[in-house]
Amino acid sequence: PRDQLVSWIHWIKRPESKFFGGVIASLEFKEAIAAWLREYGVSRYYAYLGWTKHPLFYSTSFEKLVGPSGGGNEKDQLQEIMNIARHLEHPISLNEAQVVVQNMYGGSATFREGKIGSWKKVFTQEHKDLFKKVGGQLLIELGYERDLNW
C-alpha cells in the first residue's frame, strides 16, 4: 500500500491525469502524499480484504510477481505465475511460466518504476506517522509489517 500510494501520486500528477487528482494533484509531491493520507487514508483496501479469504479469488502481491527487475526474486515470480495458472484451472509448465515472465514487466501506460520499497525514498517522518495512524493495521493484516515499529 505504501508503494501503491507513491505510484498513485505520481500518476495523478501527470498532465494527462488531470481529472483524477483534484486539488491533491496540484500540490507538491510530498505534500500530496500527506494530503492523500489525511483525506482518504487506506479505506479503499478494506472494501477488498474479504476477497482474500474467498476461495473463488486468488490473492497475490506485487512483491511476488515483480521478480528481479523490480527487486523481487525469480523463483517466487515463477512460482506465483504457476500458482495463478493453477487457480484458473489452466496449469502451466515451468517453461511456460518463464515465457510469461519474459513478457510481463513494464511496457504499459501506467508503468513508471515497478520497484519494491520505493516508498522508502520519498516518505518523510510525517508520512510514516500518518500511514501508521491510518494504515498501520492494514500493513500488519497484509503481512508487510509485524507491528508499528517501522
Side-chain angles (χ1 to χ4, degrees):
R2 293 168 290 202
D3 282 330
Q4 286 178 329
L5 175 58
V6 170
S7 181
W8 177 245
I9 299 299
H10 275 290
W11 173 253
I12 66 174
K13 293 191 67 55
R14 292 170 51 165
E16 63 269 30
S17 301
K18 63 185 173 188
F19 300 108
F20 297 109
V23 173
I24 291 176
S26 68
L27 300 173
E28 293 296 322
F29 186 81
K30 290 192 177 193
E31 182 51 37
I33 292 172
W36 184 275
L37 287 169
R38 283 189 217 104
E39 182 71 23
Y40 303 106
V42 296
S43 58
R44 66 188 175 118
Y45 287 93
Y46 286 100
Y48 304 102
L49 277 182
W51 295 8
T52 64
K53 295 170 181 59
H54 194 287
L56 289 178
F57 298 99
Y58 185 84
S59 297
T60 189
S61 67
F62 175 76
E63 291 80 6
K64 291 178 183 176
L65 287 170
V66 71
S69 297
N73 71 70
E74 184 178 11
K75 180 182 175 204
D76 289 347
Q77 183 183 38
L78 289 167
Q79 185 61 57
E80 196 63 3
I81 297 298
M82 293 171 71
N83 290 345
I84 291 168
R86 187 171 32 262
H87 179 79
L88 295 172
E89 298 179 355
H90 187 74
I92 59 175
S93 69
L94 180 58
N95 287 342
E96 290 169 312
Q98 288 170 328
V99 171
V100 172
V101 164
Q102 291 167 2
N103 292 288
M104 68 182 272
Y105 189 81
S108 74
T110 59
F111 185 83
R112 185 185 62 82
E113 182 182 58
K115 302 286 184 200
I116 296 171
S118 292
W119 68 271
K120 295 175 185 176
K121 297 179 209 166
V122 297
F123 267 36
T124 64
Q125 188 60 49
E126 177 191 16
H127 297 140
K128 290 177 187 176
D129 293 342
L130 280 168
F131 208 104
K132 287 176 187 180
K133 181 179 176 182
V134 301
Q137 185 59 40
L138 174 69
L139 294 176
I140 293 167
E141 288 175 42
L142 293 175
Y144 287 103
E145 299 293 346
R146 284 191 260 180
D147 54 38
L148 297 177
N149 297 318
W150 50 270

